[in-house]
Amino acid sequence: MISIKKLRRSFGPIIAVDGVSFDVEKGQVLGFLGPNGAGKSTVMRMLACFLRPDSGTATVCGYDILKNPADVRRSIGYLAENVPAYSEMTVGSLLNFVCDVRQIAGKDRKRALDRIVPMCAIESVYHQTIETLSKGYRRRVGLAQALIHDPDVLILDEPTDGLDPNQKHEVRTLIGKMAKDKCIVVSTHVLEEVEAVCSRTIIIARGKILVDSTPEALREKYKCSLDEVFRKITKSKVA
Amino acid sequence: MHSFWAVLKREFKSYFTTPIAYVFLVVFLFFSGYLTFKRGFFEIRQADMTAFFVNMPLLFVFLVPAVAMRLWAEERKSGSIELLLTLPITVIQAVLGKFFAAWLFLAIALALTFPMVVTVCYLGDPDTGLIVTGYIASFLMAGAFLAVGCFFSTVSKNQVISFVLSVVACAILVFAGMPTTMDYLSTFLPAGLVTTVETFSLQTHYESIQIGVLQFRDLSYFVLLIVGWIAASAVVLEERKAN
């Protein structure tokens, strides 16, 4: 459902993403790992059609990110790293705005809101303005706006960052539940999360893919925990 | 189209959920009234609104950029642009949605000056055609300044910078057509060039509509100005949205 071909993007002299290619199929949860500044968010932003690649392209649900960006955005749910939102809006009005844009109206809207608000556990803050929310609630609102149209492809940039252990567990369970009939790309620094929810792992550093495997295969190959595997790979291959 | 309406609705509501709308309306209504009476509204003993409309360019040069500066600068600074432009909304829909929301807000500000119209009608028998064209001219001028402000708002993430740049650009548009500037320019420029500068000035076209002459060339001047600056905003935004 996602097919990336030789994506490349630089910011001035810094090459953020350097010829990254991979495919993700329906039913897969891809854990996107890498040290800070590795290019994870840049790849995700290009998939969400927010950034244009310098070269290369990608297709999401059959739509090309360069030729049909509007169709791509319609088919994905995207949660950005710093959870952008309009701070003066209430949670309810933000979700209604997203429904307006995504053409979810009438009964469908009510159904979508009834499903998503308890699912992300944001009932208690529904009428609060976003600027008054804690980091964890903000992220949950971000998740809610990404999931409200029940997209086939989910791109989540550090979805559990800032959440307490209970909330982290809930988000992981949520991702696990949706995994069967969706294609999910999750970037994270929390390696236990990869073990808990991901069926595949890609480790990226300095814009290049270092490893494309499954968490189990990695553990078996290196005979140590995923933490150590991550350190070994990113330090030895980058240095 | 629905994306355009969604952006317009959200943006328009946001003026009233923050204090911006109220601060702007109070300041605008106070000064539009104050300047009118200071110019001798009663002393000229004429039932018309010239003393009111003549202040509009000066007021709008400062106040419209204040509305426009936040359009994109704030969106980029706070990062909410990443939410907006990863929803199924094209850049041009977003730019137009925001522009028309701000223009609608300015239209409301202008409409709220109705006590002035009531006063003039109470005191005498004014030419209503002149009042209508005066409002049309002010509305078009607000749109033109807004388009300029919208462009400078896409140029910088810093609202102060976009404000200052748009005030300067709007002031140039107005002052290029002031008699004093024309006199000064004619001392060293050939007459043809002075007329060209005058044609490009917003002041000339504003006055022409305001005195009751609705001409194609004046209307097209405003439309071209708005379309041009809006198109430029969309191009700049497409390039710089993620920087």
Side-chain angles (χ1 to χ4, degrees):
Chain A
M1 291 184 102
I2 300 178
S3 171
I4 299 181
K5 293 178 201 89
K6 292 187 179 159
L7 272 189
R8 210 184 135 87
R9 169 81 202 203
S10 52
F11 297 100
I14 303 158
I15 300 170
V17 176
D18 192 2
V20 166
S21 307
F22 61 83
D23 294 312
V24 194
E25 300 306 325
K26 189 174 176 175
Q28 274 189 342
V29 180
L30 171 67
F32 211 38
L33 300 180
N36 288 327
K40 305 184 294 289
S41 294
T42 309
V43 170
M44 292 181 141
R45 283 172 152 198
M46 286 193 277
L47 277 179
C49 308
F50 185 61
L51 265 181
R52 272 181 88 84
D54 292 339
S55 65
T57 186
T59 54
V60 179
C61 297
Y63 301 114
D64 193 290
I65 56 165
L66 297 172
K67 290 179 198 143
N68 317 86
D71 292 313
V72 172
R73 290 171 185 170
R74 216 161 285 151
S75 6
I76 64 168
Y78 173 61
L79 172 69
E81 190 182 4
N82 44 5
V83 203
Y86 294 101
S87 50
E88 80 278 1
M89 287 178 101
T90 63
V91 173
S93 50
L94 181 82
L95 293 179
N96 274 297
F97 166 63
V98 175
C99 286
D100 279 344
V101 174
R102 294 201 178 274
Q103 281 181 292
I104 308 170
K107 278 183 186 162
D108 288 343
R109 177 175 304 196
K110 193 174 177 304
R111 214 174 299 134
L113 288 172
D114 286 346
R115 179 179 62 88
I116 210 73
V117 171
M119 193 160 120
C120 298
I122 47 175
E123 302 99 320
S124 58
V125 296
Y126 192 76
H127 298 288
Q128 243 172 278
T129 53
I130 289 166
E131 61 198 346
T132 62
L133 299 184
S134 67
K135 203 174 169 190
Y137 270 116
R138 264 185 84 109
R139 203 157 286 269
R140 284 194 259 168
V141 173
L143 259 178
Q145 68 77 21
L147 292 169
I148 199 155
H149 56 301
D150 199 16
D152 291 333
V153 174
L154 266 178
I155 297 168
L156 308 174
D157 204 348
E158 303 190 15
T160 56
D161 187 37
L163 301 186
D164 66 38
N166 292 338
Q167 295 165 347
K168 273 186 185 162
H169 178 76
E170 281 162 26
V171 171
R172 282 175 206 157
T173 322
L174 194 67
I175 294 175
K177 261 192 233 162
M178 294 185 297
K180 278 200 304 299
D181 38 31
K182 287 192 198 307
C183 163
I184 307 177
V185 181
V186 186
S187 87
T188 179
H189 287 297
V190 190
L191 294 162
E192 50 176 295
E193 200 161 286
V194 178
E195 293 185 289
V197 295
C198 299
S199 54
R200 187 174 154 200
T201 316
I202 284 183
I203 300 181
I204 169 175
R206 293 198 184 167
K208 288 197 164 113
I209 293 183
L210 302 180
V211 170
D212 183 351
S213 180
T214 64
E216 295 80 33
L218 276 180
R219 261 199 317 270
E220 245 168 60
K221 186 176 167 194
Y222 288 88
K223 304 263 182 277
C224 54
S225 75
L226 217 50
D227 260 342
E228 285 166 75
V229 174
F230 179 80
R231 267 199 302 278
K232 272 184 191 166
I233 292 172
T234 49
K235 280 197 175 156
S236 66
K237 292 205 178 172
V238 171
Chain B
M1 201 60 189
H2 59 274
S3 306
F4 162 77
W5 286 112
V7 174
L8 193 153
K9 203 168 99 182
R10 195 212 73 76
E11 191 68 22
F12 185 72
K13 274 189 193 164
S14 81
Y15 283 104
F16 294 92
T17 49
T18 53
I20 299 173
Y22 308 103
V23 172
F24 178 87
L25 288 175
V26 168
V27 172
F28 172 71
L29 294 175
F30 172 76
F31 278 102
S32 64
Y34 172 73
L35 290 173
T36 309
F37 290 106
K38 201 167 171 282
R39 275 188 187 270
F41 173 71
F42 288 121
E43 287 83 346
I44 51 173
R45 306 185 68 79
Q46 267 180 28
D48 67 19
M49 288 180 65
T50 319
F52 171 79
F53 287 123
V54 91
N55 304 312
M56 283 296 141
L58 184 67
L59 265 179
F60 277 175
V61 159
F62 290 101
L63 288 178
V64 176
V67 174
M69 69 180 186
R70 58 180 284 278
L71 286 179
W72 289 104
E74 192 183 33
E75 194 97 26
R76 284 177 60 205
K77 185 112 186 171
S78 74
S80 52
I81 189 168
E82 193 168 354
L83 171 72
L84 186 69
L85 294 180
T86 51
L87 290 171
I89 300 172
T90 60
V91 167
I92 193 73
Q93 282 169 340
V95 170
L96 287 175
K98 275 173 169 277
F99 171 76
F100 280 104
W103 206 7
L104 184 63
F105 171 65
L106 290 173
I108 288 178
L110 273 174
L112 286 177
T113 58
F114 73 91
M116 214 54 232
V117 184
V118 176
T119 313
V120 172
C121 290
Y122 178 74
L123 291 174
D125 184 19
D127 182 345
T128 42
L130 267 185
I131 296 179
V132 171
T133 51
Y135 272 110
I136 292 176
S138 306
F139 179 63
L140 287 172
M141 181 173 59
F145 285 171
L146 203 56
V148 173
C150 179
F151 172 78
F152 285 108
S153 179
T154 59
V155 169
S156 170
K157 271 186 196 175
N158 189 317
Q159 294 198 36
V160 178
I161 294 177
S162 13
F163 175 75
V164 173
L165 289 177
S166 22
V167 168
V168 170
C170 293
I172 290 173
L173 278 175
V174 170
F175 288 108
M178 290 281 181
T180 41
T181 321
M182 306 307 299
D183 288 347
Y184 173 67
L185 288 179
S186 57
T187 57
F188 59 92
L189 279 181
L193 270 182
V194 177
T195 327
T196 315
V197 172
E198 196 184 0
T199 326
F200 278 110
S201 159
L202 193 138
Q203 181 72 18
T204 322
H205 298 278
Y206 172 72
E207 276 173 5
S208 159
I209 301 180
Q210 191 224 312
I211 56 168
V213 194
L214 268 180
Q215 289 185 97
F216 177 73
R217 60 177 198 146
D218 297 324
L219 292 177
S220 56
Y221 170 83
F222 282 107
V223 172
L224 278 178
L225 204 63
I226 293 172
V227 171
W229 286 99
I230 288 292
S233 315
V235 172
V236 171
L237 199 65
E238 186 70 65
E239 281 302 309
R240 311 184 59 148
K241 60 186 179 190
N243 293 351

